[in-house]
Amino acid sequence: LPEDSNLANSDKGQVAAPLDKVTENQAEVAALPSQVPSETDAELSKSIPTISKDAFRLSQRETENHQANLQKLCRICGGSFKSGPCKRSYPVHGPVDDDTQALLRKKEKTATSWPYLLAKVFKIDVRGDIDTTHPTNFCHNCRNVVQRKFSNAPSEVYFPRKDTMTWQPHSSSCDVCSTSFRGIKRKKRSLNPQLSKKPRMAAGCARKVRNVRNLKLVNNKALMKKIANCNKIHLSTKILAVDYPVDFVKSISCQVCEHILADPVETTCKHLYCRACILKCIKVMGSYCPACRYPCFPTDLVSPVKSFLSILNNLVLRCPVKDCQEEVVLGKYGPHFSGHKEAEEKEGYVYINKGGRPRQHLLSLTRRAQKHRLRELKLQVKTFAEKEEGGDVKSVCLTLFLLALRARNEHRQADELEAIMQGKGSGLHPAVCLAIRVNTFLSCSQYHKMYRTVKAITGRQIFQPLHALRTAEKSLLPGYHPFEWEPPLKNVSSNTDVGIIDGLSGIQQLVDDYPVDTIAKRFRYDVALVSALMDMEEDILEGLKTQDLGDYLKGPFTVVIKESCDGMGDVSEKHGCGPAVPEKAVRFSFTLMSISVTHGDANVKIFEESKPNSELCCKPLCLMLADESDHETLTAILSPLVAEREAMKHSVLMLDMAGIPRMFKFVFRGTGYDEKLVREVEGLEASGSTYICTLCDTTRQEASQNLILHSITRSHAENLERYEVWRSNPYQETVDELRDRVKGVSAKPFIETVPSIDALHCDIGNAAEFYKIFQFEIGEVYRNPDVSKEERKRWQSTLDKHLRKKMNLKPMIRMNGNFARKLMTMGTVEAVCELIKCEERHEALRELMELYLKMKPVWRSSCPTKECPELVCQYSFNSQRFAELLSTKFRYRYDGKITNYFHKTLAHVPEIIERDGSI
């Protein structure tokens, strides 16, 4: 402002110039500095506040005038209260007037204020209005539109949404202030200004247009008469005995067929039709009144008032039958006409008012009234069904409905009905819906929301409601099927209706017990086994047929169960305030590996799990929030399961399957444990112990000197005996002597496991060892074994960068299964060889990897003797050559030491394959 000479010297009443003018003035001032009057800073500072104050007063005055003008305009249509048809106005935010309130009460509406009604009728939300921008009243005409909306009367004044006013704040080009209170005209958009101008029409042209319109109207009536097609069933107005006035005849005749009203109905717009005629027209031409095109639906049709029906039934008709000419009132015409012989040839129909309530459409009746009206038809259908279809009334009715839909070309509905008749149904089975809910991780509330949305949009019940899913779930969860044990299980309830129970149930609580801070849930072991067997009922029966055994065999069936237990990592609660429990979880589960049946002297296998490591066949038994390293908590939770398992070993399960009681015996094999958990439950020292193997008693030093020749010697019973020796020290030995005697047993074993190998961790452990070998080969440790820590880190960094570049292997902080699978390939060896100068080392690495890749399928296959029998035969030779390479070419790494998994891979795989058939 101080730089603008024009603004500084402006008069007090003058409004500030626009921005572009100000910039022009500034340019002029800069060009002609001599023309700027010399003015002190004090004078300049005096003039500016005066100008700002005057401008503020002026803008305030304009705003007040604008607000005063707004109060003279309608909030809805923008019309002026002075020039409009009615000067009455109503407050936008006030209560409704008495007339409207009475109308709303009559229509059983609870609204008491105008904002709700305006939002309902005009789709305008006035609750956010500002007094300086929006008028606070609306006119009587808009109020009449609201009343017509709620009175269901055809509105003479149609008020479209797009024509309501949009109000803008006051500006220099304000429409409100420039209209001088004559009201604001709503502007309608036009693509072309010339098209919006309506040319005046000559008199001859106007006459032609009227003739065309009349012709269209005549054609429309002719079309509706063809649709109704009621000449043979409705009575013509020509048989009226009295010469009634034309307007009266029109009032008692149908607007469609122009016959005397038969079974008359009245629309919302007060027009009268024969019921059959209006229903046919609505079906063909759409849901509106043929006379005025007001919206009309079959459910809106009502009978006229009784006084009109009385007049209609008292009309005098002259019988059209030849040689009769008798005059009969319309109410008695039906019985009179039925007495003529001609009635048998002609379909004469006339509505007979039997008194009582006005006749309503079948669909608008209550169920009881529908039964009453269709009683005679129902009896006829029942008689036909008993005579022709063996009493199947439902099939007869559905077939009639199907034929009616096909005749009207409504094939989509007909196909759905046909699917229901065939038992397929248009909706999904509850069990399928349950599978969808579980596999998509939907909660009950999320599924219910989806169910309601789909039902509302499609109008069909595709998904089943939650209660149907819960019913289907009961037959899938343990605790649904009855069974018994012979002899009964020791210390286990005979109740079979047992679902999910607390994991801590069965623990004998004492004062000095270890505090169990966990949440655990589980099934009872025997109940879960029964549920798994019933799930496989079809597989068992199919297996009996495949082996040419009768499905009536009672057994005994021998079921091999693989038990698994593992930690589930981090399950911390990301938000919320749950109980103070460990942020890790442990899951105990089982898998049905195989089922065989004794037939004569032979043991026939009728089922074998094709994918024994799949999560689909792994049944959860117990889930606990605990750390797998917490020996005490693990013991407390799993001890009841172990007790139930021990009891089931010595009993026979009696279970009804396919209506026949069958006997089942169980063999439990604990092979689904990784090395960490095996050491935990079998009471062995941790994996860093001198005793490196969970299958034999060898030490790390012995295993490095003899890489191949070892056999499985450990067992659960032997570990228990060694624990007793460790606990009691009967020979009074020192700690080292005692430890050497018990071979690394330091705690009481509490779960029986079968000595085996964890194939996944075998892959990971061996890959980690190869990763180390690659680094040492890059650093040529075979020449210079003494290197610093920084050098080793540099080798690792070089290897990581090269593998990322050549093999697209991103470096991992901790080795995992996917990284191990990608690393153990010949391509990786070729990439590493690029970093190694010595050709001899290239050959050694290639041979080592080649031997490893030949051995790997043997412990990774579900059934190696079938999938890779040649590699099984070659395994001993390959493992011996592999061990030879480790002890010669890579002696710098394996002189006096070896990893746990290299030892198990080389020494124990063939023995386990021979014993179990697979790892």
Side-chain angles (χ1 to χ4, degrees):
L1 287 175
E3 295 178 4
D4 192 344
S5 62
N6 291 344
L7 186 59
N9 295 324
S10 60
D11 296 333
K12 290 185 178 180
Q14 191 174 352
V15 183
L19 186 59
D20 54 349
K21 295 294 183 183
V22 172
T23 53
E24 289 174 10
N25 292 338
Q26 286 178 348
E28 290 173 9
V29 170
L32 301 170
S34 60
Q35 296 177 6
V36 180
S38 61
E39 193 171 16
T40 62
D41 294 341
E43 290 174 346
L44 188 62
S45 62
K46 285 179 184 177
S47 64
I48 292 167
T50 307
I51 293 163
S52 302
K53 190 173 181 181
D54 291 341
F56 173 76
R57 285 175 182 171
L58 185 60
S59 63
Q60 187 178 16
R61 197 181 308 124
E62 284 186 357
T63 304
E64 289 173 357
N65 290 338
H66 176 77
Q67 195 167 351
N69 293 342
L70 284 175
Q71 304 312 313
K72 300 170 184 176
L73 299 176
C74 172
R75 167 67 179 86
I76 308 301
C77 64
S80 172
F81 295 138
K82 284 188 175 181
S83 61
C86 185
K87 297 182 181 180
R88 291 182 63 183
S89 63
Y90 303 88
V92 165
H93 298 283
V96 299
D97 59 326
D98 294 338
D99 293 345
T100 310
Q101 187 67 53
L103 176 63
L104 292 172
R105 284 175 183 166
K106 187 176 179 182
K107 294 295 180 181
E108 298 182 351
K109 303 290 183 183
T110 57
T112 57
S113 60
W114 284 119
Y116 170 80
L117 300 179
L118 296 177
K120 192 80 174 173
V121 177
F122 300 109
K123 311 299 181 189
I124 297 175
D125 187 7
V126 298
R127 291 174 297 179
D129 284 5
I130 305 171
D131 291 345
T132 56
T133 306
H134 303 87
T136 56
N137 296 314
F138 64 99
C139 65
H140 189 70
N141 187 32
C142 295
R143 177 257 198 185
N144 289 343
V145 173
V146 174
Q147 285 195 347
R148 290 190 190 97
K149 174 71 176 178
F150 285 95
S151 63
N152 289 337
S155 177
E156 296 173 5
V157 181
Y158 179 65
F159 207 107
R161 273 181 61 189
K162 64 181 180 180
D163 284 351
T164 54
M165 280 300 302
T166 302
W167 301 95
Q168 303 293 340
H170 177 64
S171 62
S172 58
S173 58
C174 178
D175 291 334
V176 173
C177 300
S178 62
T179 52
S180 302
F181 320 132
R182 289 191 304 273
I184 301 174
K185 293 183 179 179
R186 292 184 296 275
K187 297 177 181 179
K188 294 185 179 179
R189 294 181 180 180
S190 178
L191 295 176
N192 189 345
Q194 294 179 356
L195 295 178
S196 61
K197 298 177 182 178
K198 294 183 179 179
R200 296 185 63 182
M201 195 181 294
C205 294
R207 198 178 306 114
K208 287 181 181 178
V209 169
R210 281 198 298 272
N211 292 338
V212 169
R213 285 177 182 168
N214 293 336
L215 184 60
K216 284 185 178 179
L217 191 61
V218 170
N219 292 340
N220 196 21
K221 283 194 173 185
L223 176 62
M224 287 191 291
K225 284 184 180 180
K226 281 186 178 181
I227 293 170
N229 192 22
C230 56
N231 289 329
K232 293 184 179 181
I233 58 174
H234 291 167
L235 301 175
S236 171
T237 54
K238 295 178 181 178
I239 65 169
L240 289 170
V242 181
D243 188 12
Y244 293 109
V246 176
D247 291 337
F248 178 77
V249 173
K250 284 185 179 179
S251 67
I252 60 156
S253 58
C254 174
Q255 298 277 341
V256 172
C257 64
E258 297 181 351
H259 296 142
I260 299 174
L261 288 166
D263 190 4
V265 290
E266 183 180 350
T267 61
T268 312
C269 49
K270 305 296 182 182
H271 290 115
L272 292 170
Y273 299 93
C274 304
R275 184 183 295 276
C277 299
I278 184 64
L279 288 176
K280 288 179 182 177
C281 287
I282 288 175
K283 180 62 183 173
V284 175
M285 303 186 70
S287 299
Y288 57 83
C289 173
C292 65
R293 304 188 71 80
Y294 189 75
C296 176
F297 300 92
T299 51
D300 297 337
L301 304 176
V302 295
S303 293
V305 293
K306 287 185 180 179
S307 55
F308 176 80
L309 292 176
S310 177
I311 296 171
L312 185 65
N313 289 322
N314 287 321
L315 291 175
V316 181
L317 308 178
R318 183 174 288 105
C319 182
V321 178
K322 192 176 181 181
D323 300 331
C324 179
Q325 299 297 318
E326 186 178 343
E327 293 186 355
V328 189
V329 294
L330 181 60
K332 296 180 180 179
Y333 176 79
H336 168 79
F337 183 77
S338 60
H340 291 293
K341 291 182 180 179
E342 288 83 349
E344 298 175 3
E345 301 173 1
K346 184 177 180 181
E347 299 179 53
Y349 169 76
V350 66
Y351 168 66
I352 302 171
N353 185 15
K354 298 179 181 179
R357 296 178 62 190
R359 185 178 180 85
Q360 294 177 316
H361 189 263
L362 184 65
L363 294 177
S364 63
L365 296 176
T366 62
R367 190 172 298 177
R368 186 176 179 182
Q370 287 173 338
K371 285 182 179 180
H372 180 74
R373 185 179 290 185
L374 298 176
R375 183 172 177 274
E376 189 175 344
L377 177 62
K378 183 181 175 183
L379 292 174
Q380 292 176 2
V381 172
K382 188 176 180 182
T383 304
F384 173 83
E386 289 174 352
K387 183 179 178 182
E388 302 289 343
E389 301 296 331
D392 192 355
V393 178
K394 180 182 174 184
S395 295
V396 174
C397 293
L398 287 174
T399 308
L400 281 171
F401 186 27
L402 182 66
L403 293 173
L405 291 173
R406 296 284 188 205
R408 298 171 71 173
N409 290 326
E410 296 179 6
H411 295 293
R412 187 179 63 83
Q413 283 182 299
D415 291 339
E416 291 177 8
L417 178 62
E418 202 162 12
I420 294 171
M421 292 169 66
Q422 292 172 358
K424 298 175 184 177
S426 57
L428 297 172
H429 193 274
V432 176
C433 296
L434 178 63
I436 291 171
R437 187 181 84 75
V438 172
N439 290 327
T440 54
F441 302 102
L442 291 178
S443 66
C444 288
S445 58
Q446 288 171 326
Y447 174 83
H448 183 63
K449 192 179 292 183
M450 180 184 71
Y451 159 76
R452 285 190 309 172
T453 305
V454 172
K455 187 176 180 181
I457 292 174
T458 63
R460 294 185 296 158
Q461 189 167 305
I462 297 173
F463 292 99
Q464 301 304 317
L466 270 175
H467 67 82
L469 268 66
R470 291 195 180 101
T471 305
E473 192 176 28
K474 286 178 184 176
S475 61
L476 300 173
L477 285 176
Y480 181 77
H481 304 285
F483 61 91
E484 60 180 277
W485 289 91
E486 291 181 0
L489 299 182
K490 186 180 179 183
N491 297 328
V492 179
S493 169
S494 60
N495 183 22
T496 62
D497 186 14
V498 182
I500 299 173
I501 59 176
D502 188 2
L504 299 173
S505 61
I507 297 177
Q508 300 295 325
Q509 295 286 352
L510 297 175
V511 177
D512 58 348
D513 269 351
Y514 178 82
V516 182
D517 295 327
T518 182
I519 297 174
K521 296 290 179 185
R522 73 180 181 95
F523 297 113
R524 213 174 74 194
Y525 208 155
D526 59 335
V527 175
L529 285 175
V530 167
S531 177
L533 282 173
M534 293 305 295
D535 284 346
M536 301 182 63
E537 180 180 0
E538 292 181 3
D539 294 317
I540 293 171
L541 297 177
E542 186 64 31
L544 289 172
K545 290 180 182 178
T546 305
Q547 298 294 337
D548 294 330
L549 301 174
D551 56 6
Y552 53 82
L553 277 180
K554 295 185 177 181
F557 295 88
T558 303
V559 184
V560 178
I561 302 294
K562 179 183 80 170
E563 293 179 322
S564 309
C565 187
D566 195 14
M568 296 174 68
D570 176 28
V571 289
S572 59
E573 193 174 15
K574 304 305 178 191
H575 53 268
C577 48
V581 293
E583 294 182 343
K584 293 184 177 181
V586 179
R587 183 176 76 160
F588 188 95
S589 53
F590 67 90
T591 304
L592 270 68
M593 296 295 287
S594 64
I595 301 174
S596 56
V597 62
T598 304
H599 183 61
D601 297 334
N603 202 24
V604 183
K605 187 175 287 188
I606 59 173
F607 169 79
E608 186 171 19
E609 181 57 58
S610 57
K611 295 182 179 179
N613 295 322
S614 169
E615 60 181 322
L616 298 177
C617 60
C618 187
K619 313 286 183 182
L621 188 62
C622 178
L623 285 167
M624 69 191 93
L625 288 169
D627 191 341
E628 59 181 326
S629 303
D630 187 352
H631 184 79
E632 289 77 9
T633 302
L634 211 61
T635 308
I637 301 293
L638 296 180
S639 290
L641 280 176
V642 174
E644 291 168 11
R645 196 261 305 263
E646 291 301 317
M648 287 188 288
K649 281 183 180 180
H650 310 293
S651 291
V652 177
L653 173 68
M654 305 298 296
L655 177 64
D656 276 1
M657 188 175 285
I660 299 174
R662 305 177 195 264
M663 297 181 291
F664 293 90
K665 293 180 180 179
F666 295 94
V667 177
F668 298 95
R669 299 180 59 80
T671 59
Y673 301 84
D674 58 12
E675 182 174 335
K676 180 181 179 182
L677 210 59
V678 167
R679 291 178 177 275
E680 182 76 29
V681 301
E682 287 284 8
L684 302 176
E685 293 174 350
S687 56
S689 167
T690 304
Y691 299 93
I692 65 169
C693 190
T694 57
L695 292 89
C696 65
D697 299 334
T698 186
T699 61
R700 196 175 300 275
Q701 181 70 30
E702 294 169 356
S704 65
Q705 293 170 355
N706 177 14
L707 293 173
I708 301 295
L709 302 175
H710 297 276
S711 60
I712 299 172
T713 56
R714 289 190 186 272
S715 67
H716 182 68
E718 186 184 39
N719 289 340
L720 282 170
E721 292 173 6
R722 287 175 173 175
Y723 170 72
E724 286 301 318
V725 173
W726 172 263
R727 187 182 62 82
S728 59
N729 192 7
Y731 306 108
Q732 305 300 316
E733 296 172 310
T734 63
V735 174
D736 292 335
E737 291 172 340
L738 186 60
R739 185 162 173 259
D740 185 55
R741 181 179 290 276
V742 299
K743 305 298 183 186
V745 176
S746 60
K748 184 179 180 180
F750 68 96
I751 295 181
E752 180 182 357
T753 64
V754 177
S756 187
I757 297 176
D758 173 17
L760 172 66
H761 287 86
C762 189
D763 271 0
I764 293 172
N766 292 342
E769 198 57 28
F770 267 87
Y771 188 63
K772 280 287 183 186
I773 291 174
F774 293 156
Q775 294 176 35
F776 291 161
E777 289 297 317
I778 291 169
E780 299 182 348
V781 177
Y782 60 91
R783 288 181 179 172
N784 180 23
D786 299 324
V787 290
S788 63
K789 199 172 184 179
E790 288 74 15
E791 282 290 313
R792 294 173 186 268
K793 285 186 178 179
R794 190 170 59 80
W795 301 339
Q796 182 179 356
S797 176
T798 303
L799 177 62
D800 286 341
K801 288 179 181 177
H802 196 67
L803 289 180
R804 186 164 194 167
K805 179 181 178 183
K806 294 290 183 181
M807 304 297 295
N808 197 23
L809 270 176
K810 298 178 183 177
M812 304 292 295
I813 297 174
R814 186 180 181 186
M815 182 74 66
N816 60 35
N818 288 329
F819 189 89
R821 276 187 284 275
K822 293 177 183 176
L823 184 73
M824 303 305 286
T825 60
M826 290 303 296
T828 306
V829 172
E830 296 300 331
V832 172
C833 287
E834 295 176 10
L835 302 175
I836 302 171
K837 299 176 182 178
C838 180
E839 190 65 35
E840 184 183 350
R841 306 308 296 178
H842 293 181
E843 294 302 323
L845 273 179
R846 289 192 185 105
E847 187 178 3
L848 195 70
M849 180 62 78
E850 189 177 352
L851 289 170
Y852 180 83
L853 293 178
K854 286 180 179 178
M855 292 189 291
K856 181 181 174 182
V858 177
W859 75 75
R860 289 302 292 179
S861 301
S862 297
C863 188
T865 53
K866 293 180 181 178
E867 295 175 28
C868 50
E870 294 178 0
L871 295 180
V872 174
C873 295
Q874 298 170 8
Y875 193 89
S876 297
F877 173 79
N878 291 334
S879 61
Q880 197 157 353
R881 177 59 186 154
F882 191 90
E884 188 181 328
L885 280 174
L886 292 184
S887 57
T888 55
K889 300 287 185 182
F890 302 94
R891 186 178 180 82
Y892 63 86
R893 174 72 175 161
Y894 300 103
D895 186 15
K897 56 184 179 180
I898 192 171
T899 62
N900 300 14
Y901 280 106
F902 262 175
H903 163 71
K904 290 180 179 180
T905 303
L906 296 173
H908 295 301
V909 167
E911 191 175 356
I912 299 173
I913 297 289
E914 189 176 351
R915 183 193 69 189
D916 297 338
S918 72
I919 301 296

